[in-house]
Every structure is written in C-alpha cells, then in structure tokens.
Amino acid sequence: MSEHVLGIDIGGTGVKAAVVDTENGVLITPKIKYPTPKPSHPSAVMSVVNKLIDDNDWRGKPIGCGLPSIIRNNVVYSAANIDKTWMNVNMDELFAREIGQDAFFINDADAAGIAEMTHGQGRGVEGTVLMLTLGTGIGSGLFRDQALIPNTEFGHLEHKKSIWEHYASNSARERKELSWSEWGSELNEYLNHIDLLLSPDLVILGGGVSKKFAKYQSFLDAPFEIVPASMLNNAGIIGAAMNASKSVLV
Ligand code: BGC
C-alpha cells in the first residue's frame, strides 16, 4: 500500500512542499514554493510551513521536513544559510508549539540522497556514493553500500581561508557572475578534493543547477562517475517525506 506524506524542504532561499507517494518516490500534488522569510527566524519560517500545510489541507497527517542544518536527535546544530537563532532549536518542541503536531526531521542533503539512492541515480549502486546539492550552500549526503552516514557537511571543507560552498555552490556562481567554464573549473577542483578524501564510486549532483549539467559537464575530470540528480530539485522534498514513512529506515 502506498503511503502519502507531505514533504517540506526548508532552504536558505525557498521553502517548498508537496505531497509525496513515498513508495514510488513521486510528487502527487504540484510543488508549492514560497521565499524563505528574511530574517529567517524559526517562527517566521514556521508561519510559511503552516501556510504550506493549509495549502495542501494536511493538518494532522504525516509530515517529513528537511532542514539546511546538522540535525542530531531532532536538534539543530548548524545554521550556515539560515538565521543563527536556529542554533540548538529542538524541532519537536518548535513543531509542537508553532504547528501543533509532530513530524520527522533530517538534513536536506541527506534527504535528497535518500530519494536518489532509492528511486533515482543511486538505485542499486553499491560502494561509496556522494550526493552533493549545489544551491545556496553545498549539502552532502554520503552513502556506503546504500547506508546513509548522516550530517557529513562536505560543503564546509576549508578552502582559501573560507569554505568550499562559498566557491562552488550555485549561489557563488550567480553572485560572482561566473561563466560556466569558470564555475565548472571551481567545481572540478572541489570534486578532485573530494576524491582525495573519499574515493567515491559515484557522485550525484543535485539542486536547481543539476538541470544545466550539460553546460558544465565538460569541465569535470574527477576520476569517478558524475551524474545529475534524476529528481532534479524535487529530491529534497521526496527524501524528507520518505524519511517520515515506513518505507525507509535510517
Ligand atoms: C549546510 C548544510 C546543508 C547545505 C545545503 C550548508 O550550508 O551547512 O547542512 O545541507 O548547506 O542546504
């Protein structure tokens, strides 16, 4: 029997949701997206989440939520691209107070990885697979023989006294107005750095820029297979919903 869960993907730029058929890994309602409020305080973001629940007539039904943060035991332990007041927020308490029901919580890139490993480019792939989401930041979801190793944060590896997501994310490309070849070379250097650390068998590139893979593919020479996410930018929503369903155990 298929299970329907509202998947919510909270990001630095937008908050998106759709109802997901978690068994088949597909959206069964149109994706709705609102801009992330500025400043993105937890209560401001929760009012957008409330709107998305109402839009989908989903009160009291199962919800899975992805966040752009380290999530341990449902507590937020990093806030790189959202307001710093998210630090140490207990998501169970926040949802009880602001939404009036419970939900399941996971890092956004781990969620996207779960979706791609089960229904997308990583389906049936053994060995070391890394999902990288190239959006406002860089998120990472690491899998070994299909098992998730959560909260890896490979976008925060040090680079030039800063971190890699400030150079190779899609927002860095837009902010610095880089050409595809300039940004592709940055991304290539980053992927070669990843190779030294992990020797992955497969890297799946997600985020909105995965749609444009053909524009930068030729600049990538890292010695592993590199593919665009097959669920494009919906993987985060689908994986967040799957994390809340019985069809996945992480
Ligand atoms: C955060 C990660 C997140 C990624 C993508 C990074 O800045 O630290 O937790 O997965 O952005 O949203």
Side-chain angles (χ1 to χ4, degrees), residues 68-70 78 80-81 107-109 133 137-139 153 156 165:
S69 309
I70 296 170
S78 69
N81 292 308
N107 169 265
D108 55 1
T133 60
I138 295 181
E153 295 291 338
H156 286 223
E165 76 176 10

Side-chain angles (χ1 to χ4, degrees), residues 127-185:
T128 303
V129 180
L130 183 66
M131 172 89 207
L132 289 174
T133 60
L134 308 170
T136 315
I138 295 181
S140 58
L142 181 65
F143 295 80
R144 179 69 191 169
D145 293 343
Q146 293 281 326
L148 172 67
I149 297 151
N151 292 315
T152 47
E153 295 291 338
F154 288 119
H156 286 223
L157 289 169
E158 267 186 49
H159 181 56
K160 294 185 181 165
K161 299 205 163 91
S162 176
I163 55 173
W164 261 111
E165 76 176 10
H166 295 156
Y167 291 86
S169 62
N170 191 43
S171 67
R173 181 184 68 81
E174 291 173 346
R175 193 178 59 249
K176 299 179 186 171
E177 297 181 0
L178 300 179
S179 65
W180 289 110
S181 83
E182 288 168 324
W183 181 71
S185 306

Side-chain angles (χ1 to χ4, degrees), residues 16 28 37 82 130 189 243:
K16 302 173 278 192
I28 57 167
I82 45 169
L130 183 66
E189 195 184 331
N243 181 52

Side-chain angles (χ1 to χ4, degrees), residues 32 34 50-58:
I32 302 175
Y34 294 113
N50 266 317
K51 210 155 28 151
L52 288 163
I53 293 171
D54 288 338
D55 290 343
N56 286 283
D57 194 13
W58 208 257

